[in-house]
C-alpha cells in the first residue's frame, strides 16, 4: 500500500515538474483532483492518477500535461478570444484547430512530447467512438476538421480508430478547403495568420457569416 502511494506521488511530482519545464513559465500552478483536466490562466488541474497506474494511464496523464504546457507556452488567449467566431460550430472548430496548432509546434521541437500527444489522441479517438456515427451525422465534424489539419501539420495519418470518421468527411474538406490546407503549415508559428486561414476554411465550408477579421494593429485585450 505504501509503495502504491509513493508511486502515485512520484507520478504527480514528475508530471507537474515536466509541465512547468515545457511551459517555460515560472508562474504555473499544477493540482490533481478527480474529473477532467482544465486550465484557468496559469492554473492547471489534471486528473489524479490511480494508485496503481499502468502504462496507458500514465501516457494519458503525460499527454494531458503536455497539452496544457504547450498551450501556456504558444497560445495567446487574448488574441484567440478576439478572433473567435460568434456562432457554433465555427467556435468549436476554431478552438480545436488552435489546440492542434500548439501541439504541432511542441511535437516538432520535442520527440517525447510528440509521443505523449499521439498516445492521448489514440485514447481519445477510441473512447469517443468515432467509428459509430452514421454517414451524414455531424456529431464529430469538429473532430474531423481538427484531425485533418493535424495530419497536414504533423504528417502521417490519424489513428486507426478515426479512419471511419475521416472517410466520411475527408473528401468534402479536401474539396472545399484545398487552398487553405495546402498552405496551413506555413502559418503554424504565427497564431494570427493561422487563425485567418482557419476562418477562411470555415467560410469555404459555409459555417460562418463574413465576420470581420481583427486587424494587426488592434491591441489584444489582457
Amino acid at each position: 500500500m505504501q509503495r502504491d502511494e509513493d508511486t502515485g506521488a512520484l507520478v504527480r511530482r514528475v508530471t507537474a515538474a515536466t509541465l512547468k519545464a515545457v511551459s517555460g513559465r515560472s508562474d504555473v500552478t499544477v493540482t490533481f483532483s478527480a474529473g477532467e483536466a482544465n486550465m484557468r490562466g496559469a492554473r492547471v488541474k489534471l486528473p489524479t492518477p490511480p494508485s496503481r497506474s499502468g502504462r496507458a494511464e500514465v501516457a494519458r496523464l503525460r499527454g494531458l500535461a503536455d497539452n496544457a504546457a504547450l498551450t501556456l507556452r504558444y497560445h495567446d488567449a487574448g488574441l484567440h478570444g478576439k478572433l473567435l467566431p460568434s456562432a457554433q460550430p465555427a467556435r468549436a472548430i476554431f478552438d480545436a484547430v488552435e489546440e492542434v496548432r500548439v501541439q504541432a509546434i511542441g511535437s516538432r521541437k520535442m520527440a517525447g512530447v510528440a509521443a505523449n500527444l499521439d498516445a492521448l489522441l489514440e485514447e481519445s479517438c477510441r473512447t469517443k467512438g468515432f467509428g459509430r456515427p452514421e454517414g451524414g451525422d455531424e456529431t464529430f465534424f469538429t473532430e474531423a476538421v481538427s484531425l485533418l489539419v493535424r495530419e497536414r501539420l504533423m504528417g502521417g495519418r490519424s489513428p486507426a480508430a478515426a479512419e471511419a470518421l475521416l472517410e466520411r468527411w475527408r473528401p468534402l474538406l479536401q474539396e472545399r478547403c484545398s487552398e487553405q490546407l495546402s498552405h496551413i503549415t506555413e502559418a503554424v508559428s504565427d497564431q494570427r495568420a493561422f487563425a485567418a486561414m482557419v476562418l477562411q476554411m470555415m467560410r469555404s465550408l459555409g459555417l460562418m457569416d463574413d465576420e470581420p477579421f481583427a486587424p494587426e494593429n488592434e491591441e489584444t485585450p489582457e
Side-chain angles (χ1 to χ4, degrees), residues 113-126:
V113 167
N116 293 338
L117 293 174
D118 284 348
L120 179 63
L121 180 64
E122 289 269 4
E123 191 266 351
S124 177
C125 290
R126 188 169 54 252

Side-chain angles (χ1 to χ4, degrees), residues 15-84:
T15 300
T18 303
L19 191 160
K20 293 176 182 179
V22 173
S23 74
R25 294 175 51 164
S26 60
D27 61 338
V28 180
T29 301
V30 182
T31 59
F32 297 84
S33 63
E36 296 298 317
N38 64 61
M39 289 178 53
R40 292 186 178 180
R43 298 177 62 86
V44 180
K45 182 183 83 67
L46 297 172
T48 302
S51 59
R52 296 176 181 269
S53 299
R55 180 175 297 181
E57 291 85 1
V58 172
R60 179 174 184 273
L61 182 63
R62 288 174 175 169
L64 291 169
D66 286 343
N67 184 60
L70 296 174
T71 299
L72 288 167
R73 185 163 188 165
Y74 299 115
H75 173 69
D76 183 334
L79 177 61
H80 185 79
K82 181 166 62 175
L83 303 178
L84 188 66

Side-chain angles (χ1 to χ4, degrees), residues 3 26 37 52 56 64 70 91 97 126-127 142 162 170 176 182 185 191 210:
R3 179 176 297 176
S26 60
R52 296 176 181 269
L64 291 169
L70 296 174
R91 290 174 68 93
V97 176
R126 188 169 54 252
T127 58
T142 295
R170 191 189 299 275
R176 297 193 182 180
S182 295
T185 57
Q191 184 175 336
D210 193 18

Side-chain angles (χ1 to χ4, degrees), residues 160-182:
E163 285 182 3
L165 173 66
L166 283 173
E167 281 179 5
R168 297 182 178 97
W169 293 111
R170 191 189 299 275
L172 173 68
L173 294 171
Q174 290 181 332
E175 176 187 351
R176 297 193 182 180
C177 305
S178 60
E179 178 68 18
Q180 295 79 32
L181 290 171
S182 295

